[in-house]
Amino acid sequence: MFVQNLWLDLIIWTCVLGLQSRFCEADLCDWAGSGFAAAVDPRIVLQVRLRCTKGSVRWIYPGQALRVVLQPSSSSSRRGALCIKAWPTLRGASVYIERAGELELLVTDGGRSEDQVFCFRPNGPHWPAIYLQTGPQTNEAWSRRVMGFRYELLGNRSAAFSLDVHASCRPCNDTELLLAVCNSDFVARGSIAAVSHDPERQTSLVEVRAARVYRQHGQVFEPMPAEASWRGRIRTLLRCHVRPGDGEFLFTGSEHFGEAWLGCAPRYKDFLSVYRAAWAARRNSCDFPLD
């Protein structure tokens, strides 16, 4: 109730307060700011507006509340999803999603995993805002705290895989597979060396030995010159029940917050059959090297 009253009746926009004003409409990816104004007036809500597809928010000496409007300028952003991952230091605060002026509790202090990621889509023409509300604190505690989160925009196809295929652990159909080899953040051919499980995170870590890496945006796979191969680690959900096995697979997926997540992963021979049939019928989404 306190949060609703603060939002509706006591909000003071700090866009006009000195150093904070330059952050409100800037095309920034990363923002770091101070809640020093809350020491003067605890009713102050600091507002920040960011327009990049990836970045971070770092709130130093957090005050009463911080409202972050994420409005990616990418033309494809309206068809995607926006994901946030809070820093482990986000303790003593609650996180809300603001939709059409209403606050919806996303997570409260002590009620989340440090590795939890939250994704949401735009509400009509507007993205929801992220609202951080801190709890009561002493002056000593206020002076030591740093809070924040990282955010990433998932494109339309990446969002579909992350929020649908990945969430349900279902196998990809032929159309999804053909799109995956064209649009995934990484594509590699190899075998499963080992699988470890993390019940606390509810994830599994798949260790892959790749004979060939066709594409990667980050550093998912590292070369192993002595073995003429590549080594990489890919996460998936525990409930997908991935296990070590013989055979060669085509691994595709997306990279989020510095981690690789598994998307479509058919056996390589099955992928070849699908791709060759699509190529003959001129239905392939892109050219893929066959070797």
Side-chain angles (χ1 to χ4, degrees):
M1 192 64 172
F2 169 74
V3 174
Q4 294 289 352
N5 290 338
L6 175 66
W7 171 246
L8 295 175
D9 301 322
L10 301 178
I11 193 164
I12 298 178
W13 302 117
T14 59
C15 296
V16 297
L17 292 180
L19 294 177
Q20 303 296 350
S21 63
R22 62 190 178 94
F23 295 118
C24 293
E25 299 294 339
D27 292 338
L28 296 176
C29 299
D30 304 310
W31 177 86
S34 168
F36 70 90
V40 179
D41 190 336
R43 299 173 300 169
I44 287 179
V45 176
L46 176 62
Q47 175 165 275
V48 175
R49 190 182 305 274
L50 302 176
R51 298 186 181 276
C52 288
T53 58
K54 179 187 296 187
S56 64
V57 171
R58 187 166 180 259
W59 194 16
I60 307 168
Y61 311 133
Q64 184 65 59
L66 173 69
R67 181 176 184 262
V68 182
V69 179
L70 301 172
Q71 293 183 325
S73 57
S74 170
S75 60
S76 63
S77 64
R78 296 302 176 199
R79 300 187 301 274
L82 198 60
C83 298
I84 63 171
K85 181 178 182 179
W87 291 2
T89 55
L90 189 66
R91 293 186 296 268
S94 297
V95 182
Y96 295 81
I97 295 293
E98 178 203 325
R99 303 177 190 269
E102 297 293 329
L103 293 178
E104 171 188 342
L105 182 62
L106 187 64
V107 63
T108 189
D109 181 33
R112 67 177 182 87
S113 163
E114 291 185 356
D115 299 295
Q116 196 166 1
V117 174
F118 299 94
C119 298
F120 45 88
R121 295 183 183 274
N123 184 16
H126 304 292
W127 285 99
I130 310 299
Y131 191 88
L132 275 63
Q133 169 73 46
T134 62
Q137 51 199 286
T138 65
N139 289 335
E140 182 181 358
W142 181 86
S143 65
R144 294 196 305 262
R145 303 172 75 182
V146 178
M147 297 181 178
F149 59 86
R150 291 187 291 172
Y151 68 91
E152 288 187 12
L153 172 70
L154 281 63
N156 186 37
R157 292 191 178 105
S158 294
F161 286 123
S162 295
L163 302 180
D164 182 18
V165 176
H166 176 71
S168 64
C169 302
R170 64 178 176 80
C172 295
N173 58 38
D174 292 354
T175 300
E176 291 169 336
L177 177 54
L178 292 171
L179 288 173
V181 297
C182 301
N183 300 295
S184 293
D185 292 338
F186 63 87
V187 182
R189 172 169 55 88
S191 59
I192 299 176
V195 179
S196 58
H197 305 291
D198 187 342
E200 184 175 349
R201 289 189 62 180
Q202 287 295 294
T203 62
S204 296
L205 186 63
V206 183
E207 296 185 23
V208 173
R209 177 165 294 178
R212 180 167 179 182
V213 176
Y214 299 95
R215 180 174 65 255
Q216 64 174 335
H217 291 169
Q219 300 295 323
V220 177
F221 296 94
E222 299 178 349
M224 302 177 65
E227 302 179 18
S229 64
W230 299 69
R231 180 176 59 190
R233 295 183 174 185
I234 307 173
R235 290 196 178 275
T236 188
L237 296 180
L238 183 63
R239 66 171 180 263
C240 293
H241 303 295
V242 176
R243 285 174 172 74
D246 297 330
E248 194 172 40
F249 296 85
L250 187 69
F251 298 95
T252 71
S254 54
E255 298 176 41
H256 305 299
F257 304 105
E259 293 184 325
W261 287 88
L262 188 63
C264 300
R267 290 190 177 272
Y268 186 63
K269 62 181 180 63
D270 295 334
F271 162 73
L272 288 179
S273 177
V274 171
Y275 180 82
R276 285 169 175 159
W279 186 85
R282 297 184 178 180
R283 292 186 290 103
N284 52 309
S285 301
C286 64
D287 291 331
F288 187 85
L290 301 181
D291 53 273

